[in-house]
Amino acid sequence: MKPLYFNGRFLTAAPTGVHRVAEELIQATDRLLATQPDAPETIILTPATEAKAASLTRTRVVHTPFLSGIAKNIPWAHFALPWSARKGRLISLCNLGPVFHADAITMIHDAQVYLTPDSYSRGFRLWYRFLLPLIGKTSRRILTVSEFSRQQLVRFGVATADRIDVIHNGCDHVLAHEPDSTFVAASGLKKGRYVLALANTQAHKNIAVLLKAFSDPRLADMTLVLFGAAKREDFERLGMTVPANIHFAGRINDAQLTGLIAGACAFACPSTTEGFGLPPLEAMILGCPAIVAPCGALPEVCGDAALTAAAHDPDEWVDQIRALADDAGFSAQMRARGRTHAAAFTWDRAARKLALLLGLKVDAREEAERPYPPVAAE
C-alpha cells in the first residue's frame, strides 16, 4: 500500500486556525491508523529541521530542506515536497499544495479571497486567486470543511462539485487543556460579566459591530474581551471608535483561553462569512453560549445551539448579550444546548471520514456517516 504523506509546511509557520485544523486532523488520523494493522505508512514532510509534531504514535516527521535560506517558501512547496512524496499520496490541509503531483489531495477551507477581498492584501489575493483554480484542477480530490465552502468553491470555479468532499472540523481538542482559573481575575475581569471575541481587523470578522454594541449604555456594566494579535491602535487606525469597556487580552495560550471561555457570559462571532466557524464551537463545547451572525457556514455549523444577531445591527447584539447576562435560567439552557451540539464535532470523527475518502480499510463508516445535528430552521 502506498504511503501517505502530509504537507507539514504549517509546522514552520506562526499558528493559525487553519494550522490548528491540520495539526488536530493529522493527530486523529495517526490515532485511528495505529489501531489498524494493515494501515499505510504515514509521514509528515517539513522544510525545516526544527519543525516538530506532538502526540504522534506511528507517523514520522521527515525534514526535506531545499534551497537553503528560502526553504519555507514557494520552491519547497512546489518542487521539493512533491518530489519527496512522489511514491505515495500527498495530503495538504492548509489551503495550498503543489500543482505537480499525480496523487494530491488538498483541503481548501474557504473562498474568502473571492467573497471578502478587502480582508487580504493585494498580493495575497492575486496569489491565491491564481493558485486555487490550478490546485482545484490538478488535485485528485479537493477537501473542504462545510457545505457552504463547497458551494462557494464551485461558484468561483475552483473545482466542480463532484470533486469536492466535506470533512467538518472537530472542536474537542479544547477539552484537553486545563483552564487557567487565575487568568480571569488577574486580568481584572468578573466572571459572567464579559463577552469574548477575536481581536482581528480583517473586514469579514466584523468586530466593528461589537465595538458599536459595547458603546451602548445598556452594556456599560459589561466588558468585551478581545484576544489575539490586534491591538487598540490597530482598530483605531481603521477609523473605529474603541469604547472604554474593551479589554485587549493580547496573545494568550490555550490554558488562558479556556479559562476565559469558562468565565464568559458569551462568545461573540459577528463574521459576515466563515468557511466553518471553529471558535464558536470551541466555546460551546466548554459550556459558553455563542452568539453568531447568520452568515457563511455559521448557521450550518452552529444550528439552533447558538443565538443569532444580524451582522450589521449593534442593537441585536446588545439584546442577545443582555438576554444571557440577565437571565440565569436562559443562560444555563443555552450552555447545555451548546455542549450537546458541539459534542458531535470530534477530530476522531473527522479522521474516520478522511480515512473513508482515502479508501483505507478501517472500521469507520458508521461513525463518519452519522448525520450531524440539524441546521436551525429558516
Side-chain angles (χ1 to χ4, degrees):
M1 188 178 296
K2 293 195 301 184
L4 296 178
Y5 292 96
F6 287 100
N7 181 348
R9 186 182 177 190
F10 71 94
L11 293 174
T12 66
T16 66
V18 168
H19 296 165
R20 166 75 77 177
V21 172
E23 180 181 10
E24 296 295 339
L25 187 50
I26 290 173
Q27 289 180 6
T29 302
D30 178 78
R31 291 193 299 269
L32 175 63
L33 297 185
T35 67
Q36 310 296 321
D38 298 325
E41 182 183 16
T42 49
I43 300 165
I44 301 175
L45 299 173
T46 73
T49 56
E50 70 272 14
K52 296 180 180 179
S55 304
L56 296 174
T57 300
R58 65 187 301 280
T59 302
R60 295 187 294 121
V61 178
V62 176
H63 307 111
T64 60
F66 181 68
L67 296 179
S68 178
I70 57 172
K72 300 177 184 179
N73 295 326
I74 295 169
W76 181 86
H78 290 279
F79 297 99
L81 175 62
W83 174 256
S84 298
R86 66 191 181 279
K87 295 182 179 179
R89 176 168 290 174
L90 176 59
I91 305 170
S92 299
L93 297 171
C94 296
N95 288 321
L96 299 183
V99 295
F100 303 117
H101 193 283
D103 193 4
I105 295 177
T106 307
M107 177 175 278
I108 302 175
H109 291 245
D110 55 57
Q112 311 297 48
V113 292
Y114 301 98
L115 288 168
T116 175
D118 290 345
S119 292
Y120 306 95
S121 68
R122 183 172 183 270
F124 186 97
R125 291 196 309 269
L126 291 174
W127 177 239
Y128 266 61
R129 288 186 177 188
F130 166 74
L131 203 56
L132 289 183
L134 286 178
I135 293 170
K137 289 179 174 63
T138 59
S139 292
R140 183 177 294 273
R141 300 293 297 177
I142 295 296
L143 307 178
T144 194
V145 294
S146 66
E147 289 295 338
F148 172 79
S149 284
R150 181 173 179 265
Q151 293 167 8
Q152 300 310 308
L153 293 174
V154 172
R155 172 189 172 191
F156 291 106
V158 174
T160 56
D162 61 306
R163 300 186 62 251
I164 304 175
D165 297 297
V166 174
I167 300 179
H168 284 105
N169 291 340
C171 64
D172 52 325
H173 57 276
V174 297
L175 300 176
H177 304 295
E178 186 68 27
D180 184 345
S181 58
T182 66
F183 188 68
V184 172
S187 301
L189 302 169
K190 294 182 179 179
K191 186 176 180 179
R193 307 310 297 173
Y194 63 90
V195 173
L196 198 58
L198 291 169
N200 191 309
T201 58
Q202 287 181 296
H204 70 281
K205 296 299 184 181
N206 192 35
I207 300 302
V209 74
L210 296 180
L211 299 180
K212 293 175 182 177
F214 275 82
S215 67
D216 191 303
R218 290 175 290 168
L219 292 183
D221 63 330
M222 300 290 292
T223 300
L224 175 63
V225 178
L226 297 177
F227 69 94
K231 301 178 177 62
R232 178 182 297 269
E233 51 266 31
D234 295 322
F235 289 94
E236 292 176 338
R237 195 178 299 117
L238 293 172
M240 302 182 205
T241 299
V242 182
N245 55 342
I246 308 297
H247 175 81
F248 288 87
R251 292 187 181 274
I252 56 178
N253 60 38
D254 288 331
Q256 292 168 335
L257 176 58
T258 53
L260 278 174
I261 290 173
C265 168
F267 186 94
C269 183
S271 300
T272 58
T273 182
E274 286 286 349
F276 184 79
L278 186 54
L281 274 188
E282 292 174 327
M284 288 193 285
I285 202 169
L286 289 170
C288 176
I291 309 171
V292 304
C295 303
L298 291 171
E300 174 186 339
V301 170
C302 297
D304 62 358
L307 299 177
T308 60
H312 301 295
D313 190 338
D315 287 339
E316 287 196 17
W317 289 89
V318 173
D319 290 342
Q320 297 290 41
I321 292 167
R322 287 259 57 108
L324 291 168
D326 297 339
D327 189 335
F330 179 61
S331 177
Q333 175 187 336
M334 292 306 301
R335 290 175 190 275
R337 184 184 297 180
R339 275 199 184 100
T340 300
H341 179 90
F345 295 83
T346 69
W347 288 113
D348 284 347
R349 185 175 181 181
R352 292 176 185 275
K353 180 67 176 292
L354 177 61
L356 279 178
L357 294 175
L358 294 175
L360 302 183
K361 295 180 179 179
V362 296
D363 182 17
R365 185 169 301 279
E366 181 178 353
E367 173 68 11
E369 295 185 348
R370 178 167 52 86
Y372 282 87
V375 177
E378 293 292 336

